[in-house]
Amino acid sequence: MANKSTADKVATIQKGYALEGATIELGAAIVDGELHKDAPVRLPLSMMNRHGLVAGATGTGKTVTLHMMAEQLSTAGVPVFLADIKGDLSGLATAATGSDKLAKRTESIGQAWSGKTFPVEFLALGGDGDGIPVRATITSFGPILLSRVLELNDTQESSLQLVFHFADKNNLELVDLKDLRAVIQFLISDEGKEALKELGGLSKATAGVILRELVTLEAQGMERFFGEPEFDTAELLRTAPDGRGVISCLELPTLQTKPMVFSTFLMWLLADLFEDLPEAGDLDKPKLVFFLDEAHLLFNDASKAFLEAITTTVRLIRSKGVGIFFVTQTPKDVPADVLGQLANRVQHALRAFTPEDAKALKATVSTFPVSDYDLEETLTSAGIGEAVITVMNERGAPTPVALTRLRAPESVMGPSSPELVRSTVAGSALLAKYGTAVDNVSAYEKLTGKAGAATGAAAPGQPPVPSPEVFVPGSPYPTAVDDEARRIEEEILGRPSSRQPNSQPSTGRADSRPAPPPPARRQAPPPGGMMDDITGALGGVLGSGLKSMARSMGTQLGRELLRGVFGTSSRRRR
């Protein structure tokens, strides 16, 4: 390394970044203190779903790097998601104006610069801002992510999962915080003590702790983030009429004091995409690039289940065409299992003012391939708008490490005017869909009966008969659920279901007809059906267990939600 000439070092970079396909232009290499615009540094578009890391100390230009990359991705037809924590990224909607200083910089790196605007969709978490409101239902948010927001310990998180299981099994839709609160209040009431006992691992004391945390969250005004209409993450995959990718910019300036809330919501967006998107394999360009700013907030004091879910999502979402770029101060902010999956690195300057800083610097240097640079010196002396870069080339090998002077954004590096933001939101096609919150019948109404139909009088010797739309715990007539089970079973088996149709319970007044008796035991399917064929084909290895499982498949699918790695639900009410 010490014997190589400057020309040889430049030639190494030129060869390493001579890529054939479409690329994101990052800048020009600096070698031995000199800028070489004939040695461009770029990132293959086809490798952006291999994920990446943008790191560096505060004030070194990380946000400008995101800005510049988002512009080029949009131009290439790739949708982008950005979390605008400081409010600076809204400038993507406003064309920048040139200056002599800017012209000198762009000419020095060979950038043909011109001011441009880009298609931006402004979003706001829970409508807390000017953007289109982004909400999630409690059901789809899931117990693992909600435990992060509530800052529950591992035991309390496991208990919350049991509460979600109870709600899923009993067809209690958890749309907002009051729904979850109503379910927990039912479980710790005298009426629900049998259901609480059946859950086994949920104690009344732990349920009370979770309930108090929910009340605290509501007192902080967090209830606006949960509800309907729930945001469909497919909206993040849109392109503009001219073919450019839409840049979804989620404004979060009012949530800087609640970092756990916004970081967890960002992970919900990713988890929802992961569950919904089909496998895509290797693509010429990603379907979406997701920039996850302040990434360290995701991992601070995270539970083992949460970290495992993040690792699984990062590992598998690549094959669905989504690239994730974690943005943070040092690589040590990201767990090793996640960091090992990040193929593209943009490392801005680091500081070494304290022993802890020096330790972080050495750890960062150790994660780079062997290079022609003294990285400890380079990383502490790099200027604003410069970064040490290595990415994955089109063959899947790391490119040479290159200190790079980065390209300048072509839109405003700062906020757009409030008038422009508001007019953009007013003209958005999403405003009519998500602009107004709604409160449909869900667990709270079902348990309290505040929106339910009259149940009618009980016939002599018979229990009260509920309306099919209103859940009553322990009811022998979950007609809506069983009808759904029949439908699902018929679709699975491809023939009429063996399940008898449920009788419709009475919903009339006191003079209505007596309630029907409990349904007779369902008959087994006739011999020779598909279930017997399956059992016979397996030679009876699984015995009656297989037959029992198969016969109950429709009911189980009808009553319980399928939940993903984060405990998120893929069945949502839109």
Side-chain angles (χ1 to χ4, degrees):
M1 180 175 70
N3 297 327
K4 290 181 71 172
S5 66
T6 298
D8 288 340
K9 296 176 184 177
V10 172
T12 298
I13 292 174
Q14 289 172 330
K15 182 179 179 180
Y17 289 90
L19 307 171
E20 297 179 359
T23 62
I24 300 297
E25 299 292 332
L26 298 176
I30 301 172
V31 179
D32 292 337
E34 296 181 7
L35 180 65
H36 295 268
K37 68 179 180 182
D38 58 340
V41 177
R42 24 174 97 97
L43 196 168
L45 196 58
S46 61
M47 291 292 141
M48 290 201 74
N49 68 333
R50 263 55 172 191
H51 312 317
L53 176 72
V54 179
T58 301
T60 55
K62 296 190 300 294
T63 302
V64 177
T65 298
L66 308 188
H67 194 130
M68 174 265 293
M69 293 174 70
E71 290 180 346
Q72 293 188 66
L73 286 165
S74 175
T75 300
V78 178
V80 178
F81 174 87
L82 295 167
D84 191 7
I85 293 175
K86 297 187 289 287
D88 294 341
L89 294 171
S90 63
L92 284 155
T94 304
T97 56
S99 66
D100 292 342
K101 183 179 179 181
L102 178 61
K104 183 178 180 181
R105 179 186 176 90
T106 55
E107 288 170 7
S108 70
I109 62 175
Q111 177 184 358
W113 187 93
S114 62
K116 296 176 183 175
T117 62
F118 294 86
V120 180
E121 188 76 71
F122 294 107
L123 308 175
L125 200 54
D128 188 13
D130 293 324
I132 303 297
V134 174
R135 305 180 188 88
T137 63
I138 293 291
T139 285
S140 76
F141 203 72
I144 296 177
L145 292 176
L146 188 60
S147 294
R148 280 289 282 170
V149 174
L150 297 174
E151 301 185 53
L152 303 181
N153 61 32
D154 290 349
T155 300
Q156 293 159 355
E157 179 181 313
S158 298
S159 298
L160 185 61
Q161 292 186 41
L162 291 175
V163 175
F164 272 74
H165 171 73
F166 173 80
D168 292 349
K169 186 176 180 180
N170 290 285
N171 205 33
L172 292 168
E173 302 91 344
L174 303 177
V175 173
D176 49 28
L177 290 178
K178 74 177 186 298
D179 291 318
L180 182 57
R181 178 160 42 81
V183 171
I184 296 175
Q185 286 173 333
F186 167 75
L187 288 172
I188 61 178
S189 68
D190 291 339
E191 184 184 3
K193 61 183 178 182
E194 289 301 319
L196 183 67
K197 185 185 301 182
E198 289 177 6
L199 286 178
L202 177 63
S203 70
K204 188 171 183 178
T206 302
V209 171
I210 298 172
L211 185 60
R212 287 195 296 274
E213 294 297 333
L214 285 175
V215 172
T216 300
L217 201 65
E218 288 181 294
Q220 294 173 349
M222 297 294 104
E223 74 278 357
R224 71 168 73 91
F225 305 132
F226 298 100
E228 292 181 315
E230 181 175 75
F231 187 77
D232 186 350
T233 51
E235 311 286 7
L236 303 178
L237 305 176
R238 293 175 300 136
T239 55
D242 61 5
R244 292 184 296 169
V246 171
I247 301 173
S248 298
C249 187
L250 181 66
E251 68 173 297
L252 298 167
T254 62
L255 286 179
Q256 291 189 56
T257 58
K258 304 178 183 71
M260 194 70 75
V261 175
F262 75 73
S263 63
T264 309
F265 256 88
L266 297 187
M267 209 63 227
W268 170 75
L269 292 172
L270 267 181
D272 197 68
L273 284 167
F274 174 74
E275 298 299 334
D276 285 355
L277 289 176
E279 291 290 324
D282 292 326
L283 304 173
D284 292 336
K285 61 184 180 182
K287 293 181 180 179
L288 172 72
V289 174
F290 196 103
F291 288 97
L292 218 164
D293 206 352
E294 301 291 346
H296 64 282
L297 298 172
L298 277 176
F299 307 113
N300 289 347
D301 302 319
S303 69
K304 182 179 178 181
F306 188 76
L307 291 176
E308 288 176 349
I310 292 177
T311 304
T312 301
T313 300
V314 172
R315 185 175 71 249
L316 299 180
I317 203 171
R318 176 188 68 79
S319 64
K320 300 191 175 190
V322 176
I324 306 170
F325 276 70
F326 292 88
V327 186
T328 189
Q329 294 197 1
T330 69
K332 73 180 184 66
D333 293 334
V334 181
D337 288 345
V338 176
L339 190 64
Q341 300 178 56
L342 310 183
N344 305 302
R345 296 279 300 278
V346 180
Q347 178 68 60
H348 287 264
L350 291 174
R351 310 296 180 221
F353 298 143
T354 68
E356 184 66 24
D357 291 341
K359 184 178 178 181
L361 176 62
K362 288 183 179 296
T364 299
V365 169
S366 69
T367 62
F368 278 91
V370 175
S371 73
D372 294 328
Y373 294 89
D374 179 344
L375 286 179
E376 285 196 34
E377 180 183 347
T378 301
L379 286 174
T380 54
S381 60
I384 296 174
E386 296 176 353
V388 173
I389 293 175
T390 180
V391 301
M392 183 178 284
N393 67 21
E394 294 158 326
R395 299 186 306 278
T399 59
V401 175
L403 175 62
T404 307
R405 183 162 296 171
L406 299 170
R407 289 167 62 95
E410 296 180 315
S411 54
V412 168
M413 291 183 286
S416 290
S417 68
E419 293 77 15
L420 176 62
V421 173
R422 285 193 288 267
S423 64
T424 302
V425 172
S428 172
L430 302 184
L431 185 60
K433 187 174 181 181
Y434 300 108
T436 304
V438 296
D439 189 8
N440 294 311
V441 173
S442 51
Y444 173 77
E445 288 80 12
K446 289 181 177 182
L447 289 170
T448 63
K450 290 190 175 181
T455 59
Q462 297 290 340
V465 181
S467 164
E469 291 82 17
V470 178
F471 169 80
V472 175
S475 167
Y477 299 106
T479 58
V481 172
D482 283 347
D483 287 344
E484 176 71 1
R486 283 176 50 78
R487 182 189 66 77
I488 293 176
E489 186 177 358
E490 289 172 354
E491 290 181 1
I492 293 174
L493 301 181
R495 62 175 173 77
S497 172
S498 61
R499 299 176 183 276
Q500 295 179 353
N502 287 295
S503 301
Q504 293 298 321
S506 170
T507 59
R509 297 178 297 275
D511 59 350
S512 61
R513 292 176 297 173
R521 183 184 300 272
R522 294 188 178 97
Q523 298 178 354
M530 180 177 289
M531 290 305 166
D532 287 338
D533 292 343
I534 294 174
T535 307
L538 291 177
V541 173
L542 300 181
S544 61
L546 172 65
K547 190 174 294 186
S548 175
M549 177 185 71
R551 288 172 182 168
S552 65
M553 187 183 298
T555 298
Q556 291 300 314
L557 288 176
R559 292 189 183 185
E560 296 186 23
L561 300 177
L562 299 177
R563 292 195 172 273
V565 292
F566 272 102
T568 53
S569 167
S570 59
R571 191 179 84 186
R572 298 188 303 274
R573 307 193 314 165
R574 298 225 184 267

